[in-house]
Every structure is written in C-alpha cells, then in structure tokens.
Amino acid sequence: LNVSYRPAFAAHKLGFSVLVYNLFDQQRMLQFSPGSESGPGKLSKNFWVPLFATTPRYVQFGVTYDF
C-alpha cells in the first residue's frame, strides 16, 4: 500500500509518502526443507520444516523535494 501527498503551498515540489509492506501481516512460508531421508531408509526429522517465511509488516516513511 502506498500513499503520497504533495501540498499546494510548496508548489507541489514537496512530497510526503507512506509505504506499508505486508499490510495484513500474513506470515507465509516461502521454502521448506525438501529432504525426506537422512540416510538409507531413515526418515528425516526436518522433512517439510519451514526454512524461510515472509517478512512481518513494516512501514516506510519518505519525504522528497524536487529542485
């Protein structure tokens, strides 16, 4: 989600922006451990364990000025 504002009193040269990443804060797994065997005929304890997840929600504020 991105919102920007350029006020008229600064001749639209001054800009403010807010960016929100992962707005609903959904944590999704991106990669899982693919190995099902740790040795011949042995099941791995780490099979299908999540390795990476999406980043949590965060907000970025910005101010710009056009010369």
Side-chain angles (χ1 to χ4, degrees):
L1 179 67
N2 180 12
V3 177
S4 60
Y5 173 65
R6 292 187 170 268
F9 70 82
H12 299 286
K13 291 185 176 188
L14 181 65
F16 301 96
S17 63
V18 177
L19 284 85
V20 181
Y21 297 92
N22 197 1
L23 179 66
F24 299 112
D25 203 22
Q26 296 176 347
Q27 187 174 12
R28 297 192 178 170
M29 299 302 120
L30 299 176
Q31 187 174 1
F32 296 91
S33 177
S36 63
E37 293 184 4
S38 60
K42 278 188 162 183
L43 290 178
S44 174
K45 291 185 277 185
N46 295 329
F47 178 61
W48 212 244
V49 173
L51 298 176
F52 298 101
T54 55
T55 56
R57 175 182 26 213
Y58 63 98
V59 179
Q60 179 180 351
F61 299 97
V63 178
T64 60
Y65 187 80
D66 299 331
F67 292 97

